[in-house]
Every structure is written in structure tokens, then in C-alpha cells.
Amino acid sequence: MTDTRRRVKVYTLNEDRQWDDRGTGHVSSGYVERLKGMSLLVRAESDGSLLLESKINPNTAYQKQQDTLIVWSEAENYDLALSFQEKAGCDEIWEKICQVQGKDPSVDITQDLVDESEEERFDDMSSPGLELPSCELNRLEEIAELVASSLPSPLRREKLALALENEGYIKKLLEIFHVCEDLENLEGLHHLYEIIKGIFLLNRTALFEVMFSEECIMDVIGCLEYDPSLSPSRKHREFLTKTAKFKEVIPISDPELKQKIHQTYRVQYIQDMVLPTPSVFEENMLSTLHSFIFFNKVEIVGMLQEDEKFLTELFAQLTDEATDEEKRQELVNFLKEFCAFSQTLQPQNRDAFFKTLSNMGILPALEVILDILLINLIIEHMICDTDPELGGAVQLMGLLRTLVDPENMLATANKTEKTEFLGFFYKHCMHVLTAPLLANTTEEKPSKDDFQTAQLLALILELLTFCVEHHTYHIKNYIINKDILRRVLVLMASKHAFLALCALRFKRKIIGLKDEFYNRYIMKSFLFEPVVKAFLNNGSRYNLMNSAIIEMFEFIRVEDIKSLTAHVIENYWKALEDVDYVQTFKGLKLRFEQQRERQDNPKLDSMRSILRNHRYRRDARTLEDEEEMWFNSDEDDMEDGEAVVPPSDKTKNDEDIMDPISKFMERKKLKESEEKEVLLKTNLSGRQSPSFKLSFSSGTKTNLTSQSSAGNLSGSPGSPGSPGSPGSPGSVSKSTSQMAAITTKGGLVGLVDYPDDDEEDDEDEEKEETLPLSKKAKLESS
């Protein structure tokens, strides 16, 4: 049978002055060769691993607290604590520590805590102890001055604490308190307030155990009611005895547990409500008080968790239909307080705690007391949060996100459970979540655009964006069937930039999926229109909105999403063609034209491939030979404008290669000529669809007149006689053929860098040079 006397929990104090649980094990003491001395060893009860190996240093101050705690510091900022399951085990280890240090085990601290200067320490060492004035009514002022003067010095604090412990001084002070209250001696009561507050700041567990005992705690609270800076005095005792009632919803048979609950509630009340807010210098002086409450709560949770009879009765009454509503409400309040106490536990212990509750039937019990679905209850609380900063709503949104995250759903034998849960969520809960969004986006602008509403809608959009990324099928059906994206994009017109960006981020997440179902929905409903409006209304402002919109269009260009590219250019090019501080929209137009070329003449794409592959197969030696032949050839053997084709390129018939390209370029020129004539007769003030109405801010450029495209230029790459027109070698320069791809970057500094633009230009130059120039043209141009 395992010896429970030596069963302990190991704690370390973190930077936030909170105790971290390092594990549960069994403690022993023994000589460790490596440490050259007697040491404390704690081995984990789970796997026997070493949780603690600490040498008992002769100069380290060990403190014994609450009969079951031993606390000490191993370094300047490294505090340790052992919490024993039984008092007997704590006493045994305490005796070992005192034996090593040569101390009497009856003390609660083995060393004086000093950090004073040598001079101050020398002065105080001349007096072995601190002599307290006799505890009388007429000497309260003197006692208060002594306590106040001792607080700045750690050594004097320690001596004062020892004097108060040894002489039973606190109980004598509380007797005088009753006398002062009976005599209505306000001055004496003010002195007692200062004295008791000072004793709290001594930060001594032994003193707290006296002050928080059943017979003393209410009188201590009474002393703290008489703060000289507050008038009239506070009625804390009246609140604790008359207003705050202890309700024992399930009988607690253990008297020690019941007393611990009462004590913890009252000490917590003292810390939160009675003591004044500590100053920066006083905060660390109350660390022992924080530890006292912390370990009390851990002990209460442990004792209740181990009482299976108590928990069984609790859940039985919760689920019993015969339990009246008032009783059920009390049971739920107890369960809520019980779970709140569990937050003091460390993660692994907290997991074990909730596993115990789950095994006892907490979820069926909660189902009985809920009138609506739990998830919908969470959503409604999030939506109805009255906090202007929506602090509660943010936490609830995080909880919802955890619930609907497929990664958090445990794998089960029935693999359809995830799908079933998500199907249930979208059928019964999603309409509750999106209700505020749908109610606020019935017009072209948000019907309510105050800050709190905008914050709430931003939270909802954040969760919907998460669903787009992780739920795919379910959210896709919901968005398309309910036309959610159109309603979300109404928020692009919000005066709150963060909300407009949330709406844009939602659409960007959808486009990022490159799903043609989504793309067809976007194109059919013209859902780029709100984005283009926002972009134009933003004008020339260099801000996050500008960058985010450009990035979205750049993604479409780089990923070559053909359907969206064609849709944007066909419907919104006139509104975007003048944007020249980035090459995104020009690049989109180029992509669109390349697509159209391939659609109009599929052979063209194959010819380009043939020429490109043929060119790159030639090695360096062949090129050198051809260059030599070119310079050695007789100029008189060629006619002007005739291209010289090296012997290695004569393997294919020139007319067979060039004929499809020539015919395509002729058709293209004829088509563009016809389009130009139509455009001159038409008022071009937007896209051709009559439903598209753009509104511009005063600073926005609105010139939507058609510009010359790359296809309007003569001598474009691949045309007969390139780079000049037939019969006029060299008459058109290379830069002319690239006019459509090169735009002066004036105005704003480019928000996105496009390194591939230069590569496209280089590729155009290479295409022009596929067929060598005539010798005569080369010499004339040089």
C-alpha cells in the first residue's frame, strides 16, 4: 500500500507570482553524493521520474505554513513549495530540515530573512528580540507607531512577527477592539486599523493562521472597517453575517471541509473588498496571503473531487425531474462556483477534474437545465454582450471557434460524427450567428454603424472566415444559398476601416480557395463591384485598404485564375485602367489578352511552343558557327528586308511557320479597328453592364476613356517583318512594341513589387529576336 504521508505536490512560483504545479509524487530525504549533502527528493507517482532534487542548505530559510506546506527559495527569483497530503508527513520532513540546520522543529521558520546593509544589521544584532509595549488601550498609538516603523526593515519585520506570535498579542489586541467599540472610542479604533493592516503586511503564515481562525476572523474584519480615510465606516461584518448566506445545497459531512470553505470565502473577501489596494511596494508583502487562498482552493477542490458520494448526489438531484426550480438553481450555482475554484488547478489537474465531472454525468445534467441549445446560448450571450469593449463576446467567440474546429474533434469509430455535428451546427445554429449580420446589411450601407455594432460584426466575420477555411463543403453551401458574401460586402461601405477590412478579408479567403463554384457565384452576382467602389473611393490614399485590395487582384493575376481575370477585365477595366502606380491591373489585362489569343487561335500557342523549344535546343557552338556565317555572307545576295535564316533553321518551311501568325495578326488588327470605331461612338463612363454605377470621391481620377492596348500597336511581336513594317526594316524600335507592358510609375510609390513584369518584357524581346535580322538592317541600325 502506498504511504500517503509522504505524498506531496511540488509547486514553483512563476513571474506572475502564481504557483505552478510541477507534479505529484512522494518525498524522501537522504544524502546525495553529487550535491555533497542531505537533500529533499521527490519522485513522480506516475512513472518514478525525479520531480525535485534539492540540497538542504544550512543557510536557506525554510517556512512551514498551514501544517501541510513547506516553502523556501533556492535562488533570488525561484521559490519552491511542497504541499503534503497529510500533516504527519509534513512534520517528518520539517524535522529533517531542522535537524540539518540545527534548529528546533517547533519553529515555523528556520532562518531570519534579512537583506539589509551591514551597518543596519550590526545595529539590530545588539538586541536579540523586539520588546512590545503592554497591550493596553492607552498604548495603542505607541503600538501603531512601532508596527509602522518596523515595516521598512525585513529584519525588524521578522522580529516583530516573532514577538506577536510568542506573546499571543493578536488575541489581546482583539479584546481591546471590543472595548473600543463598546466605548465608541473612534481614535482607538483607527489605531487598531493601522496595527492590523501592518500585521497583514508582515506576510507571515503563522500570524494568518491566528487571524483567520474561526474565533478571530470576524474581529479582524471588524478592525479593518475603521479606515481613518473613510467615513462612515464600512459594514463588512454585517454583509458577511446577514447578506452573504452559506447554502449547503448538498449536505457536507466533513467538518474540516466545511470550515475550510467558510475560511476561504472570508479571506478572499478580505483580500478583494476589505484591504485597501496595495501600493507597488506593498504588493509583494501580501504574497503569503495570495498563497494562503490558492492552496485553500486547491485543497477544497481535491476534497470534493474525492467525495464520490457528494458528487453522485449532486448530479442525481440536478437530473431528477422532481427537483423544484429554486433547488435546481442553487445546485447550478454551486456547480458554477465549484468549476470556478478549479481554475486554480494546473492544466493536467484541471483536465483530470473535468474528466471526473464528465464521468459523473455533467453534460446530461446541463442538458436538463437548458431551454435552448448550448451553442445557441453561447452565441446569444456573445451577441447580447453589453460591455462597450465586448470583452465577454471576445471570449465566447474563442470558445465557439474551439467548438467548431474540426481539429479539436476527437476521432471516433464512427467517422461520420464530425460531418453530422457540422451539419447540425449549420442547420440549427448558423442562422443565430449570422442574424446580426443579415439584419444590418439589407441596404447598400450598414443600417447601424456605431462602434459596438461594428465590433460585434467583426467578431462574427472572423468566425465565418475561420469556417470558410476549415469547413469547405458546409460553409460553401451556406454562403451560396443564403447569398452571404453579398451581404458581407455591404460592410465595405462602413465608416469603420477595421470592419471594411474584415469584409474584404472574408472575400479574400474565399478567392484564395480557387474554387470554381465560388468563382461562378462571385461572377454571376457581380461581387467585385463593392470592392472596386471601395478602391476608387479610397482614392490615392496609401493605406491598408489600398494595399489589401491590390493584393487580392494581384493574387488573381499571379495564380492565373482565368474566370475571375476575364470577369474583372470585361466588367471593370474602364474603372481600373488608369491605375499605374502598380502593374497589377495592366498585368491582369495582359493575362486576359493572352487568354483571348489562345482561345481565338489554338495553333498560335502551339507555334510559340515550337519556336521556343526549337530556339532553346541550339547549343553555343552552333550559335557561334551561325554568327560567323552571318558576317561572311554577301550583302548583295540578299534583298532589303529579307530575314537571313541559318542553315540549322531551314529544316522547317518558313511559310508554314509564319502563315498562321500572319493571318492571326491580320484578323486581330481588323477586329480592333472595328472596336475602335464603336468605342468612338459610345459614351464610355463605366462598364457595359447598366447595373454598374460607380461613385467617386472628389480626389479620385475618373478618366475612363479607352487607351491603346498592346494589340493596337503595329510591329507587335511575331508579326511579319518585325521589328519594322514590311519593306521598312528597322523603322519601328523595340521600345514601341513593348509600350503596353511598360508604364511610368508616377504618383504613389508602388505598393507591390512585381519582378515577373520585367521577365515578361524580356520574353517579348526574345520573341522578336527569334528570326534574325538582315545584315543590312543590323548595320544600318548600328
Side-chain angles (χ1 to χ4, degrees):
M1 181 176 176
T2 305
D3 185 4
T4 58
R5 290 182 308 160
R6 297 289 186 94
R7 189 168 185 261
V8 296
K9 282 186 177 293
V10 180
Y11 291 93
T12 59
L13 196 66
N14 62 28
E15 294 178 354
D16 298 325
R17 308 298 296 172
Q18 298 295 322
W19 289 101
D20 290 337
D21 187 346
R22 295 303 182 189
T24 303
H26 291 83
V27 64
S28 62
S29 62
Y31 186 84
V32 175
E33 181 65 31
R34 183 177 62 83
L35 300 178
K36 304 296 183 185
M38 292 294 293
S39 303
L40 297 176
L41 306 173
V42 179
R43 294 196 175 275
E45 65 179 1
S46 58
D47 57 7
S49 60
L50 198 61
L51 295 178
L52 177 69
E53 186 180 58
S54 173
K55 180 181 178 181
I56 303 175
N57 193 311
N59 300 318
T60 296
Y62 290 85
Q63 295 184 57
K64 184 181 177 186
Q65 302 177 3
Q66 302 181 50
D67 293 332
T68 56
L69 277 175
I70 297 177
V71 181
W72 72 98
S73 298
E74 291 220 335
E76 186 176 348
N77 294 312
Y78 188 65
D79 292 350
L80 288 161
L82 294 179
S83 177
F84 290 77
Q85 181 171 330
E86 296 184 12
K87 180 179 182 297
C90 184
D91 291 342
E92 288 177 7
I93 296 299
W94 184 249
E95 287 179 7
K96 292 286 184 183
I97 294 171
C98 292
Q99 182 181 349
V100 171
Q101 294 195 341
K103 302 290 182 181
D104 186 345
S106 63
V107 301
D108 287 332
I109 185 167
T110 62
Q111 302 287 333
D112 291 335
L113 300 174
V114 295
D115 56 357
E116 302 159 297
S117 65
E118 290 296 324
E119 181 180 353
E120 190 176 11
R121 195 192 283 170
F122 178 77
D123 291 341
D124 284 333
M125 284 176 66
S126 58
S127 56
L130 186 68
E131 186 176 349
L132 292 172
S134 59
C135 194
E136 298 174 2
L137 178 60
N138 59 355
R139 304 194 69 177
L140 286 177
E141 183 176 2
E142 183 182 348
I143 298 170
E145 289 176 355
L146 176 64
V147 171
S149 65
S150 300
L151 290 176
S153 166
L155 183 58
R156 288 174 186 163
R157 283 204 308 269
E158 186 63 26
K159 289 184 175 181
L160 175 60
L162 288 172
L164 290 170
E165 290 174 34
N166 295 334
E167 298 181 23
Y169 211 79
I170 292 176
K171 291 184 178 180
K172 296 176 183 177
L173 288 171
L174 296 178
E175 289 174 4
I176 296 178
F177 166 71
H178 286 290
V179 174
C180 288
E181 273 208 318
D182 292 340
L183 298 175
E184 297 183 356
N185 184 340
L186 199 57
E187 183 181 358
L189 292 170
H190 287 165
H191 289 317
L192 282 167
Y193 169 85
E194 297 293 348
I195 293 168
I196 296 297
K197 177 188 170 186
I199 293 174
F200 268 95
L201 295 178
L202 292 176
N203 209 25
R204 185 79 174 214
T205 304
L207 296 178
F208 286 157
E209 289 176 351
V210 175
M211 296 166 72
F212 299 153
S213 64
E214 187 70 24
E215 61 176 312
C216 295
I217 190 167
M218 295 306 290
D219 290 338
V220 169
I221 293 172
C223 290
L224 294 173
E225 288 180 354
Y226 293 95
D227 185 347
S229 63
L230 299 176
S231 182
S233 61
R234 299 293 183 259
K235 307 290 184 183
H236 297 301
R237 286 171 295 172
E238 183 178 329
F239 173 82
L240 290 172
T241 54
K242 296 181 180 179
T243 305
K245 295 291 185 181
F246 176 69
K247 294 183 179 180
E248 201 171 346
V249 291
I250 301 292
I252 297 175
S253 56
D254 187 348
E256 183 184 352
L257 172 59
K258 190 182 297 186
Q259 188 275 332
K260 188 74 71 175
I261 292 172
H262 283 300
Q263 183 190 59
T264 304
Y265 176 78
R266 290 166 180 170
V267 176
Q268 185 83 58
Y269 182 84
I270 290 173
Q271 178 184 262
D272 296 341
M273 304 300 298
V274 180
L275 286 176
T277 304
S279 67
V280 175
F281 302 103
E282 294 174 336
E283 190 169 3
N284 287 337
M285 293 183 178
L286 293 174
S287 60
T288 305
L289 179 62
H290 300 324
S291 299
F292 189 96
I293 296 170
F294 173 85
F295 288 115
N296 264 19
K297 288 183 177 181
V298 170
E299 195 171 345
I300 289 169
V301 171
M303 294 171 77
L304 286 172
Q305 190 175 344
E306 292 170 4
D307 191 343
E308 291 189 9
K309 182 179 178 182
F310 178 88
L311 292 178
T312 302
E313 181 66 20
L314 170 67
F315 290 115
Q317 290 195 28
L318 268 174
T319 54
D320 189 355
E321 294 182 0
T323 304
D324 61 73
E325 287 304 313
E326 184 178 354
K327 177 69 171 179
R328 183 172 279 115
Q329 184 66 43
E330 291 175 352
L331 291 167
V332 170
N333 286 338
F334 171 81
L335 186 59
K336 183 182 76 170
E337 191 72 15
F338 188 31
C339 291
F341 266 42
S342 73
Q343 297 308 304
T344 60
L345 302 175
Q346 293 303 304
Q348 65 270 29
N349 295 332
R350 195 158 57 239
D351 289 344
F353 169 78
F354 283 111
K355 187 174 182 180
T356 300
L357 293 188
S358 180
N359 293 337
M360 299 299 294
I362 187 172
L363 293 179
L366 290 176
E367 187 177 357
V368 171
I369 63 176
L370 293 175
D371 297 324
I372 61 175
L373 292 173
L374 178 59
I375 295 182
N376 285 350
L377 188 65
I378 294 171
I379 294 172
E380 288 183 6
H381 275 73
M382 182 183 85
I383 292 171
C384 301
D385 189 3
T386 56
D387 180 7
E389 298 297 326
L390 296 184
V394 171
Q395 291 183 348
L396 292 172
M397 195 280 293
L399 176 59
L400 278 173
R401 181 169 175 161
T402 302
L403 285 173
V404 301
D405 187 351
E407 295 297 321
N408 293 331
M409 300 177 191
L410 297 175
T412 60
N414 182 5
K415 304 218 171 164
T416 63
E417 283 189 4
K418 287 185 181 181
T419 303
E420 289 174 0
F421 172 76
L422 291 176
F424 180 88
F425 174 76
Y426 279 89
K427 182 176 181 181
H428 298 285
C429 307
M430 184 58 92
H431 68 282
V432 182
L433 177 66
T434 56
L437 169 68
L438 298 177
N440 207 41
T441 54
T442 55
E443 306 294 334
E444 292 186 359
K445 291 185 177 182
S447 54
K448 286 181 66 179
D449 205 17
D450 58 278
F451 180 72
Q452 190 168 354
T453 301
Q455 273 195 311
L456 176 60
L457 293 176
L459 284 177
I460 294 172
L461 283 180
E462 184 179 340
L463 188 58
L464 289 177
T465 304
F466 177 83
C467 292
V468 167
E469 184 176 3
H470 291 88
H471 293 176
T472 57
Y473 169 76
H474 293 88
I475 189 67
K476 185 197 305 181
N477 284 346
Y478 189 81
I479 288 173
I480 294 175
N481 293 334
K482 301 294 183 182
D483 200 13
I484 295 296
L485 181 55
R486 176 187 295 279
R487 305 297 284 271
V488 168
L489 291 175
V490 170
L491 302 177
M492 293 284 293
S494 171
K495 67 183 179 182
H496 300 285
F498 71 88
L499 181 57
L501 286 166
C502 284
L504 183 64
R505 188 183 305 117
F506 179 71
K507 180 171 182 176
R508 174 64 177 82
K509 185 65 71 175
I510 290 175
I511 291 176
L513 297 175
K514 297 190 285 188
D515 186 319
E516 281 302 311
F517 283 99
Y518 275 130
N519 292 347
R520 286 196 290 272
Y521 162 60
I522 290 170
M523 293 185 294
K524 182 179 178 181
S525 303
F526 292 99
L527 295 182
F528 275 102
E529 186 169 316
V531 178
V532 174
K533 282 184 179 180
F535 180 69
L536 297 175
N537 287 332
N538 189 63
S540 59
R541 289 192 290 275
Y542 180 74
N543 55 19
L544 190 56
M545 177 64 72
N546 178 279
S547 298
I549 293 176
I550 289 175
E551 189 278 334
M552 184 176 70
F553 284 110
E554 177 65 11
F555 176 82
I556 295 171
R557 184 191 76 84
V558 171
E559 296 296 321
D560 196 16
I561 306 177
K562 295 178 173 57
S563 57
L564 295 184
T565 299
H567 176 75
V568 170
I569 297 302
E570 288 172 354
N571 294 281
Y572 308 102
W573 172 243
K574 295 303 173 185
L576 300 171
E577 65 177 340
D578 288 335
V579 179
D580 58 4
Y581 52 86
V582 290
Q583 294 300 297
T584 295
F585 302 108
K586 298 290 192 296
L588 270 177
K589 181 71 182 303
L590 183 60
R591 289 278 195 199
F592 172 69
E593 290 177 344
Q594 290 170 348
Q595 292 174 26
R596 196 165 59 179
E597 287 176 14
R598 286 192 288 268
Q599 291 170 359
D600 290 348
N601 191 353
K603 289 184 180 180
L604 180 65
D605 204 33
S606 62
M607 290 302 103
R608 285 176 174 168
S609 177
I610 291 170
L611 290 173
R612 187 181 302 113
N613 292 339
H614 187 64
R615 179 177 70 220
Y616 287 127
R617 285 197 190 99
R618 297 160 62 192
D619 60 24
R621 289 174 298 175
T622 305
L623 288 174
E624 289 174 2
D625 294 342
E626 291 167 357
E627 186 176 356
E628 186 72 21
M629 290 177 61
W630 188 85
F631 279 105
N632 291 335
S633 60
D634 189 359
E635 183 179 332
D636 297 333
D637 293 341
M638 298 180 292
E639 295 182 4
D640 289 349
E642 181 180 345
V644 177
V645 181
S648 60
D649 283 343
K650 289 292 185 181
T651 56
K652 289 189 180 290
N653 186 287
D654 295 348
E655 293 182 1
D656 290 343
I657 294 176
M658 297 306 300
D659 185 64
I661 302 177
S662 303
K663 290 179 179 179
F664 167 72
M665 294 306 300
E666 289 173 4
R667 287 199 305 272
K668 184 175 179 184
K669 288 181 180 179
L670 178 62
K671 184 175 180 181
E672 289 173 348
S673 177
E674 291 173 353
E675 289 178 352
K676 188 172 183 181
E677 290 176 6
V678 174
L679 290 172
L680 291 173
K681 298 176 183 179
T682 307
N683 179 20
L684 301 177
S685 59
R687 75 159 194 245
Q688 298 301 317
S689 174
S691 66
F692 183 51
K693 299 175 182 178
L694 291 173
S695 59
F696 304 95
S697 59
S698 58
T700 306
K701 187 172 181 180
T702 60
N703 179 15
L704 303 181
T705 308
S706 175
Q707 302 290 324
S708 299
S709 65
N712 293 339
L713 297 173
S714 61
S716 57
S719 60
S722 178
S725 58
S728 307
S731 61
V732 180
S733 66
K734 245 187 232 183
S735 60
T736 306
S737 66
Q738 299 174 15
M739 189 177 297
I742 299 177
T743 305
T744 303
K745 297 185 179 180
L748 290 175
V749 177
L751 302 181
V752 187
D753 189 19
Y754 310 110
D756 53 340
D757 286 342
D758 294 333
E759 294 174 8
E760 291 178 2
D761 294 346
D762 293 341
E763 188 174 313
D764 290 343
E765 291 178 18
E766 289 174 0
K767 289 179 182 178
E768 290 180 3
E769 294 171 1
T770 301
L771 298 179
L773 299 173
S774 67
K775 178 179 176 184
K776 182 174 181 179
K778 176 99 175 176
L779 294 175
E780 285 179 356
S781 62
S782 62

